[in-house]
Amino acid sequence: MGYVIKLTDPQYSGYAFCIKDCIPPFGNIKFFSEGAVFGTEQEAEEHIRTVLKSGWYRPDITADNFEVVEVRKYPELFNTFYYTDEGYKKFKEMK
């Protein structure tokens, strides 16, 4: 199990994921390599504080716009990736 950060931006009516060691959002792709996920919720929460201090985001983006999301590996899919629940359902339907 791992974690990524979901950023919801009301200005664009959408969301994107923030990954480990990256300040800008990564996009709304729903699967992640092992190096892109946080090992703990606390690590992800600390990264939220880091990105908010970075100056990259608009002033109206606050901690309330971020959510820590659990991601998992699924043996029946590409086991090298972690998937959000939504990503898992999508890839499962494609098989």
Side-chain angles (χ1 to χ4, degrees), residues 15-42:
Y15 67 91
F17 290 100
C18 300
I19 59 174
K20 186 175 181 177
D21 298 328
C22 191
I23 299 294
F26 182 70
N28 64 2
I29 193 163
K30 297 166 186 71
F31 64 97
F32 308 89
S33 67
E34 191 158 344
V37 302
F38 300 95
T40 65
E41 286 184 75
Q42 293 78 18

Side-chain angles (χ1 to χ4, degrees), residues 49-69:
R49 290 187 284 280
T50 299
V51 299
L52 286 172
K53 293 177 191 173
S54 72
W56 179 268
Y57 294 91
R58 300 185 317 268
D60 62 313
I61 298 294
T62 68
D64 291 339
N65 295 95
F66 294 90
E67 171 189 0
V68 177
V69 175

Side-chain angles (χ1 to χ4, degrees), residues 2 4-5 13-15 19 22 27 32-33 41 49 53 58 68 71 73-74 77 82 85 87-88 91 95:
V4 293
I5 301 166
S13 300
Y15 67 91
I19 59 174
C22 191
F32 308 89
S33 67
E41 286 184 75
R49 290 187 284 280
K53 293 177 191 173
R58 300 185 317 268
V68 177
V71 292
K73 287 185 176 182
Y74 293 92
L77 297 179
Y82 288 82
D85 289 342
Y88 169 70
F91 278 95
K95 284 189 104 181

Side-chain angles (χ1 to χ4, degrees), residues 2 38-39 48-49 55 60 75-76 79 83:
F38 300 95
I48 292 170
R49 290 187 284 280
D60 62 313
E76 67 271 22
N79 203 25
Y83 298 84

